[in-house]
Amino acid sequence: MKAYRAAILSFSGAGAEVQAHWQDDGLLVTGIKNQDPTREVILAVGDYQTVMNQWAARQLPPLRIEDIEHLPGKILAPGFVDMHSHFPQMDVIGSPATGLLPWLENYTFPQEMKFQDPTHAASVAEVFLDEMLGNGVTTALTFATAHKTSVDGLFEAAEKRHLRLITGLCLMDQNAPQGLRHETEQSLRETQSLIERWHGVDRLGYAITPRFVPTSSEAQLGGAGELAKQYPSTWIQSHVSENTDEIAWVKALYPTARSYLSVYDDVGLLRERAVYAHCIHFDTDDRALMKDRDTAAAICPTSNLFLGSGYFDYAAAENHGFMFGLGSDVGGGTSFSPFKTMLGAFYVAQYQNSPGGNKPLYASTAQHLWWQHTAGAAKALGLEGVVGNLREGCEADFLVLDPHSTPLMARRTAQANNLEELLFAMIVLGDDRAVARTVTAKKPVKQP
Ligand code: GUN
Ligand code: ZN
């Protein structure tokens, strides 16, 4: 058992009703619950004095002062949840291109090719996880490459650290270079054996991962849909409606499909725990379909701005009520830092509000931006109450944030008049220096 005393940030509600909560003098107690000895969870959280009083009444081993780490001036906050990234694209960050398709061909595919070497995959996996954790991300849904070794390498590295991580073999059997292209049946057999090997092991999860419509045959998409039905607790991850050239390509491949999104629906790839990155150029029927299928969007603003893909329509998404949250999309995205991603999301929402934007106004608050990268993203992944919040019973993944991490941030946050102003100042000025410590749930040592 371990306890931490500092200010505490948590969330309740969802979407437009989201509410951030703040305890000036809070206490967070973590440890093992008798019912589940496999992982460390939050045993109590709230106002310091209230938790201390309630603890005394719970007839649990006493909380001794020496077990409480006092962190004055710091903030305990939920670990960030990154809904979309590509672990093999860490070395692609900052590769400029005129748009998605040339970027894939000239930078991304050559980089991904290197992951057929298991030593390379294993070493990049370690650096990727270090970067993620250093930036305060404790849960990630991320693409691997078309090589089984890349999936095994990342899962092995995450298992060693007892992290909550979801990934899967990137499926491509057409329109991709030799070396990244599968034979269809083999790709589906490999996916199945990886699901059997990794899904639900420790805190790991498997995501069935067709890259996007142009690089999968109908047979591969159909096979992925069959596996999604056979293993309903797995995740699905892919891309949709990111870039206008990509959409035209899908139209040429599927001239009679109602839309790009409906190609996935036709093969059973829209369901709960399905996460589609970007979802920019949607129409009303697409948004209704996302809602109807309980499918979530991963919004990736730094990538969309960097590659010139477009602007996610927040107001329309809220109107239709489908789930969404934030993703870094490393390496189309430019940063591992959730602060940069939240700021990018704010720019996108503000752009939609700009004169001539011709859209209903959308009020983007700091609380809502932060929720999209924590409790909201967890909800969109089907992990509400498991990660992404500081609530009793959630896994003990949390951050110690330092609002004084730079002289400028210290000056600015000292002048915040309320929680909203404080969170906004941190979003705008924050980076990995603001993450003083990332704490992830420990795996208890076996009792003799
Ligand atoms: N669409 C298909 N593959 C990718 C990728 O690797 N990154 C992004 N941003 N979009 C894609
Ligand atoms: Zn992506």
Side-chain angles (χ1 to χ4, degrees):
M1 204 163 64
K2 185 101 184 54
Y4 306 81
R5 181 178 182 181
I8 292 182
L9 174 68
S10 64
F11 295 89
S12 67
E17 263 78 63
V18 130
Q19 182 77 47
H21 301 276
W22 179 261
Q23 310 280 345
D24 237 347
D25 183 18
L27 187 66
L28 178 78
V29 188
T30 65
I32 307 303
K33 259 198 167 154
N34 293 341
Q35 299 91 310
D36 182 4
T38 63
R39 66 198 54 174
E40 209 180 24
V41 295
I42 296 173
L43 298 175
V45 57
D47 168 68
Y48 175 79
Q49 207 50 60
T50 313
V51 172
M52 287 300 269
N53 295 343
Q54 285 170 352
W55 192 270
R58 274 168 81 175
Q59 295 177 335
L60 290 163
L63 260 180
R64 295 167 312 173
I65 289 296
E66 57 267 34
D67 293 332
I68 301 174
E69 186 176 351
H70 195 192
L71 298 157
K74 302 289 195 295
I75 304 165
L76 304 174
F80 289 108
V81 176
D82 188 339
M83 287 183 68
H84 183 75
S85 69
H86 298 252
F87 108 81
Q89 292 180 18
M90 198 174 60
D91 297 328
V92 181
I93 295 176
S95 303
T98 49
L100 170 69
L101 301 178
W103 173 83
L104 280 174
E105 192 175 321
N106 297 327
Y107 294 107
T108 306
F109 289 156
Q111 196 59 243
E112 292 193 6
M113 211 85 85
K114 297 183 184 170
F115 285 73
Q116 57 203 356
D117 171 6
T119 314
H120 180 72
S123 76
V124 174
E126 295 295 343
V127 184
F128 178 83
L129 295 180
D130 286 346
E131 282 294 327
M132 227 181 84
L133 292 166
N135 281 282
V137 173
T138 51
T139 295
L141 170 61
T142 187
F143 270 57
T145 66
H147 314 100
K148 200 172 159 295
T149 48
S150 73
V151 182
D152 287 328
L154 186 58
F155 273 139
E156 279 159 16
E159 188 184 26
K160 260 195 323 209
R161 302 178 193 220
H162 187 50
L163 295 180
R164 189 163 271 287
L165 183 121
I166 309 163
T167 190
L169 186 76
C170 181
L171 299 172
M172 294 193 275
D173 67 352
Q174 63 179 26
N175 297 320
Q178 187 81 40
L180 291 179
R181 211 170 51 231
H182 287 111
E183 185 275 309
T184 312
E185 279 309 312
Q186 191 205 340
S187 73
L188 299 170
R189 275 197 306 275
E190 282 188 7
T191 296
Q192 183 164 20
S193 82
L194 285 164
I195 293 171
E196 297 280 350
R197 167 69 184 89
W198 290 110
H199 185 62
V201 169
D202 201 35
R203 293 209 286 161
L204 308 174
Y206 194 86
I208 297 164
T209 306
R211 181 171 210 123
F212 67 155
V213 165
T215 47
S216 284
S217 65
E218 275 189 84
Q220 194 177 47
L221 290 175
E226 286 298 318
L227 287 170
K229 195 169 352 152
Q230 192 180 339
Y231 296 95
S233 66
T234 57
W235 282 264
I236 297 167
Q237 60 177 343
S238 192
H239 301 89
V240 73
S241 293
E242 175 178 4
N243 162 288
T244 49
D245 292 336
E246 168 213 19
I247 295 168
W249 193 5
V250 173
K251 183 85 192 146
L253 291 168
Y254 292 86
T256 59
R258 202 210 63 78
S259 73
Y260 186 168
L261 185 69
S262 72
V263 176
Y264 293 119
D265 191 43
D266 291 344
V267 292
L269 284 170
L270 301 188
R271 63 148 162 77
E272 271 180 50
R273 293 196 166 198
V275 176
Y276 283 81
H278 309 300
C279 305
I280 295 171
H281 307 281
F282 270 180
D283 63 16
T284 300
D285 289 349
D286 290 327
R287 295 188 179 98
L289 187 58
M290 291 286 285
K291 168 72 181 162
D292 195 57
R293 298 287 186 267
D294 276 328
T295 291
I299 307 167
C300 305
T302 72
S303 166
N304 299 155
L305 296 169
F306 184 76
L307 291 175
S309 303
Y311 304 85
F312 183 81
D313 190 335
Y314 273 102
E318 286 281 12
N319 252 345
H320 284 83
F322 66 84
M323 293 183 291
F324 57 78
L326 292 175
S328 65
D329 196 21
V330 159
T334 52
S335 176
F336 277 89
S337 175
F339 295 105
K340 305 292 179 211
T341 304
M342 292 188 286
L343 181 57
F346 181 66
Y347 292 153
V348 167
Q350 290 291 73
Y351 167 80
Q352 301 284 33
N353 287 340
S354 62
N358 203 21
K359 296 261 173 21
L361 284 182
Y362 178 77
S364 193
T365 64
Q367 310 188 24
H368 193 252
L369 292 162
W370 208 296
W371 174 83
Q372 287 176 57
H373 225 338
T374 53
K379 182 180 166 67
L381 289 176
L383 292 173
E384 190 176 23
V386 180
V387 292
N389 213 344
L390 299 187
R391 291 254 167 270
E392 197 176 319
C394 282
E395 293 174 356
D397 290 344
F398 64 93
L399 310 176
V400 179
L401 297 179
D402 182 4
H404 311 108
S405 62
T406 67
L408 179 59
M409 180 125 89
R411 275 183 75 88
R412 180 61 192 90
T413 53
Q415 294 173 58
N417 293 306
N418 52 45
L419 179 57
E420 181 63 17
E421 288 185 10
L422 174 73
L423 297 182
F424 245 130
M426 291 190 70
I427 288 173
V428 173
L429 296 174
D431 56 31
D432 57 340
R433 290 169 294 180
V435 181
R437 200 189 308 172
T438 302
V439 184
T440 55
K442 289 199 183 43
K443 187 174 187 167
V445 183
K446 242 193 198 155
Q447 299 297 328

